[in-house]
Amino acid sequence: MTTAARHEGPGSRREAPDARAARRPGGRNGGRPPGEARGIGWLYVLPALLVYGGFLLWPLVRGAQFSLYHWDGLGTATWAGVSNYTSTWSDPALRGAFGHLLVLVVFYSVLPCCIAFVLVGAMSRTKIRGLAFFRTVLFLPQVIAMVAVAVAWRWVYSADGPVNTVLGGLHALGLPDWRRGWLGDFTFALPAVGVVGTWVGIGLALVLFLAGVQKIPRELYEAARIDGAGPVREFIAVTLPALRRELAVALTLTTIMAIRNFDLIYMATEGGPGNATKVPAYEVYNRTFNTGEVGLGCAIGVTLAVLAFAVTAGIGRLVEGRDA
Amino acid sequence: MNPRGERVVNHAILAVFAVIAVFPMIGVVTQALRLPGLDLSSFETAWRDGHFATYLRNSLIVTTVTVVVAAVLSIMAGYALGAMRFRGAPALFLLFLAGLTIPTEAVVVPLYFDLRSMGLDNTYAGLILPQVAMSVAFGTFWMRAYFRSVPPSLLEAARIDGASSWTTLWRVLVPIGRPAILTMLLLTTMWTWNEFLLPLVIINSDEGLRTAPLGLSFFQGTHKTDYSLLMAGALIIAAPIVIVYVFLQRQFIAGMLSGAIKE
């Protein structure tokens, strides 16, 4: 998201003060109609700032404050210092939850971006017909409420859902029986959740890269071809550098999706079986409302906010930093 | 490979992924309608036992109020930050920008306790205000980008005609900014409609105030594996956004990928 902040739109050259204004006593008036007060800009921002400050920034500050106490939500709170934060890696269940988040980042972000990138690289040489249609369909998973997606995928993985039906058919052909309750399996529940993330992310990445590839001047490919580059060289020399921005945006958006993973886990597994699919986003809720560790819940929440911010800033920096 | 063969392969790849993208949805529709046969009994049961009429009404109220209020506030703030110069503007913009990355998970717990002590838990206001705050973070960022792209000569012309900044905003800039405003409205509508964690925590006892996604989670609690019923419920809550998306997909996609396009 914030990568957009760094690019200046075409109206950013606001540097030509109008000559008459410059000659007026009092100098430039910063684009105000005559007779309007200096602080008028603040008045315009104020209503938005009040709601935003009161119901987003202030809760964030309060969350940071709560995170420094041990509190069960009912009685008196006791000072905890940073012990709630150290718990995030000393408590094995929480350490596991952050480990699961890492695994899910691979599924939600790395995998979709890699798959989409290779596919689009293969497609860069020809014009795509019906691009608008493909875009609409591929992007569909992004707009469906995650709770509805979770319900749909619970059916996909269910005892007589499509996955087990196909495996049952393979079993009938003589292969071993691979059918199982995927979301209830200690080994497979986390990857099963991850695949849902891959499914959501792949469309986003494909749409982004396809848009980017359409903008690469054809001459670059022709030049590469004249130089005798094969498809692989062409991909590395032309497509990859041209899609750097798109890749950064895709990685950022999908990683943030992995971090904000509450809805799917709550609806599909509730962190189970055991702790197999516990993730930090779920633990914020779980520790606050189920086990009465409000300070710890807030500490995990703050950690997630810091992570989300670092990912957004970091990936953007990484890409802007290297020159094409 | 010759270009013609390549084109066929490319379209085949895209077709495969398009099918993958919709196959769970096809499952939802076939299960909900009990195809092939078209039996609407699941819908009737879901609608009657699941109280989805109430949930949809709540979602509609919360989403409409959130989106309209957030849009007006965002347009005003974006106008000031994009088209005016005043002391502190850059810092203010950065403050709004920071809000783009704050996950709901980071604020939901303090919101719960503070709204409860203000008596705002289990109320529309308690659900709407935090979502206006989230929408305003994005909206201000989005509208500022639009107002920065307005040619300065247009502002000049309005000023020479003696228009106040207020008149210039609502009479000149908002009408020509319709595409940017529409995209903002669509995205904030989608995010508000689909929001789940906030209503789950804020609407914790009053069943009459549950929003559609929250309703679906409780519906799943009572019908654990009756997939035909669950799919009908999922379809009911997802359909409004999907229908709007199908008609206005261009704006949706442009908005969500806004960071990618270098002007």
Side-chain angles (χ1 to χ4, degrees), chain A:
Chain A
M1 275 294 222
T2 44
T3 36
R6 250 185 294 278
H7 88 250
E8 304 263 298
S12 53
R13 298 177 310 281
R14 203 173 296 288
E15 301 319 309
D18 116 29
R20 280 170 312 138
R23 275 201 299 276
R24 239 197 320 251
R28 309 219 312 265
N29 66 349
R32 286 190 312 278
E36 285 202 343
R38 282 190 64 86
I40 194 86
W42 277 93
L43 282 181
Y44 276 99
V45 179
L46 199 61
L49 189 64
L50 283 176
V51 179
Y52 169 62
F55 292 92
L56 197 64
L57 291 183
W58 177 242
L60 191 65
V61 172
R62 288 280 284 166
Q65 185 193 349
F66 286 176
S67 73
L68 301 175
Y69 290 87
H70 292 302
W71 185 42
D72 61 2
L74 303 162
T76 41
T78 52
W79 178 253
V82 293
S83 70
N84 282 324
Y85 289 93
T86 52
S87 297
T88 53
W89 66 84
S90 62
D91 177 330
L94 282 183
R95 201 172 48 225
F98 278 94
H100 296 157
L101 172 57
L102 271 182
V103 173
L104 288 179
V105 165
V106 173
F107 276 102
Y108 274 67
S109 183
V110 179
L111 216 58
C113 289
C114 286
I115 296 171
F117 212 86
V118 170
L119 286 175
V120 167
M123 287 185 237
S124 61
R125 294 165 149 233
T126 58
K127 269 263 165 280
I128 303 291
R129 278 234 192 100
L131 189 66
F133 165 78
F134 284 120
R135 246 194 4 209
T136 306
V137 172
L138 291 169
F139 207 76
L140 189 63
Q142 292 288 329
V143 303
I144 298 169
M146 209 52 179
V147 284
V149 167
V151 169
W153 278 86
R154 274 190 65 231
W155 165 74
V156 169
Y157 288 132
S158 65
D160 37 22
V163 174
N164 282 327
T165 306
V166 169
L167 292 175
L170 292 176
H171 180 51
L173 293 174
L175 286 166
D177 192 353
W178 283 313
R179 282 175 296 183
R180 59 187 72 234
W182 297 95
L183 291 171
D185 186 290
F186 276 91
T187 314
F188 287 99
L190 189 65
V193 167
V195 166
V196 181
T198 309
W199 174 78
V200 175
I202 210 161
L204 175 94
L206 264 175
V207 169
L208 257 168
F209 301 156
L210 278 173
V213 152
Q214 298 294 311
K215 289 203 295 277
I216 300 174
R218 298 290 109 194
E219 298 80 51
L220 287 181
Y221 285 112
E222 272 150 33
R225 238 165 271 190
I226 288 164
D227 289 344
V232 175
R233 269 224 53 94
E234 196 178 277
F235 181 64
I236 291 167
V238 181
T239 313
L240 199 63
L243 289 185
R244 267 195 15 249
R245 279 188 68 82
E246 281 80 0
L247 187 60
V249 172
L251 284 172
T252 307
L253 291 177
T254 48
T255 307
I256 298 287
M257 254 170 42
I259 291 172
R260 302 177 171 183
N261 198 11
F262 176 81
D263 304 12
L264 180 61
I265 297 293
Y266 180 89
M267 289 292 285
T269 65
E270 301 211 25
N275 291 335
T277 56
K278 289 246 164 75
V279 294
Y282 180 76
E283 285 300 276
V284 170
Y285 177 88
N286 186 35
R287 298 290 172 142
T288 303
F289 298 105
N290 295 340
T291 60
E293 299 166 281
V294 178
L296 188 54
C298 286
I300 302 166
V302 170
T303 307
L304 286 182
V306 171
L307 270 179
F309 189 79
V311 164
T312 309
I315 294 180
R317 190 68 43 87
L318 213 73
V319 170
E320 300 291 319
R322 284 207 325 261
D323 240 337

Side-chain angles (χ1 to χ4, degrees), chain B residues 123-134:
Chain B
T123 63
Y124 283 130
L127 204 46
I128 289 168
L129 285 164
Q131 299 202 77
V132 170
M134 292 174 194

Side-chain angles (χ1 to χ4, degrees), chain B residues 22-42:
Chain B
V22 293
F23 104 90
M25 304 306 128
I26 292 170
V28 171
V29 174
T30 51
Q31 296 270 315
L33 301 173
R34 295 182 183 274
L35 293 174
L38 196 60
D39 168 2
L40 292 177
S41 60
S42 290

